[in-house]
Amino acid sequence: MNQIPLFIAVLCFLVMMVGEILAYRSVPIKYKYEFEAISFGFILGVSTLILIPKAYFKMYSIYVILGCIFVYLIERYLSFCPMSKKYCLECNNLKVKNIKFIYPISFFIHTFIDGIVIAVSYISNIGLPLYLAILMHKFPAGFVLISPLKGVYRNPLSIGIIISLGTIFGTIFGLTVLNNIDPKILLAFSGGVFLGAFLMLVPHIYEHKREKTLTFLLFGYSLAGIITIFS
């Protein structure tokens, strides 16, 4: 088992933990939504400029659509505030039960999928762009994760550690199980997952930070394009 994807997974875990610790200590992040917008623009760029084009084969669109549907189902049925995408304390009409149980499960699934994508990037020889796409959103993800949990858990960091480990578990799972699957199928599905994540989560940023959101999204997208040219 190659050490590079495992190193990236551990690095993702550490970066996410930094965001969680800052949220736990109530340290404000001034440009949180701007950074999220850049990371989501980058994810869109990786999806449309790298993953989906490299995955092209006769039936590739089916797997792209399946990836989008997969993300939609998770966001629709495994989030405590379905379809609003307000993963923060600013949500309205929150149910403590959903925050305490469904929300952590949903987030663990996301981190696990991140790990699988890391494995896919290694298996498919994509490397750097996908690694960066995962890494870029880990810091704000950690911050967003802990904010609601502080109100329902005495020690939310312990839950955060378990959830953050999902990236490592997902990477190990992907490297172990996905080696025998056609890399183009993996790329198409991953491209759909990234595209679906962008479509589902960008409204969250827009609702909280409408000013210059498009500018930051375009910056992230352009950054992915530059990396595509030189990679």
Side-chain angles (χ1 to χ4, degrees), residues 13-136:
F13 167 79
L14 294 175
V15 171
M16 189 167 178
M17 284 305 305
V18 171
E20 292 176 22
I21 292 171
L22 291 179
Y24 178 72
R25 296 182 176 276
S26 300
V27 177
I29 300 178
K30 186 175 182 181
Y31 299 107
K32 177 177 66 175
Y33 296 116
E34 289 85 349
F35 189 84
E36 278 190 292
I38 292 173
S39 67
F40 287 138
F42 189 85
I43 285 175
L44 178 63
V46 170
S47 175
T48 58
L49 299 176
I50 300 175
L51 293 178
I52 295 177
K54 286 183 179 293
Y56 181 79
F57 64 102
K58 188 174 181 180
M59 304 294 289
Y60 83 101
S61 59
I62 293 177
Y63 296 98
V64 173
I65 294 171
L66 287 175
C68 290
I69 293 174
F70 180 67
V71 173
Y72 170 80
L73 292 176
I74 292 175
E75 293 296 320
R76 180 65 179 84
Y77 296 106
L78 282 178
S79 61
F80 69 81
C81 195
M83 300 309 295
S84 73
K85 306 303 156 295
K86 296 180 180 179
Y87 291 139
C88 59
L89 287 176
E90 300 163 34
C91 295
N92 297 317
N93 302 318
L94 299 184
K95 296 180 180 179
V96 172
K97 178 183 176 181
N98 288 343
I99 302 174
K100 195 169 186 177
F101 300 109
I102 297 179
Y103 178 56
I105 292 172
S106 172
F107 228 109
F108 180 84
I109 292 173
H110 279 292
T111 59
F112 190 84
I113 293 172
D114 286 342
I116 291 177
V117 172
I118 290 173
V120 169
S121 68
Y122 173 72
I123 294 171
S124 306
N125 296 315
I126 298 297
L128 182 62
L130 258 71
Y131 295 154
L132 287 176
I134 300 297
L135 272 169
M136 284 182 67

Side-chain angles (χ1 to χ4, degrees), residues 184-201:
K184 288 193 173 183
I185 292 178
L186 297 176
L187 290 176
F189 187 81
S190 298
V193 168
F194 274 22
L195 182 60
F198 174 82
L199 295 174
M200 301 265 51
L201 296 175

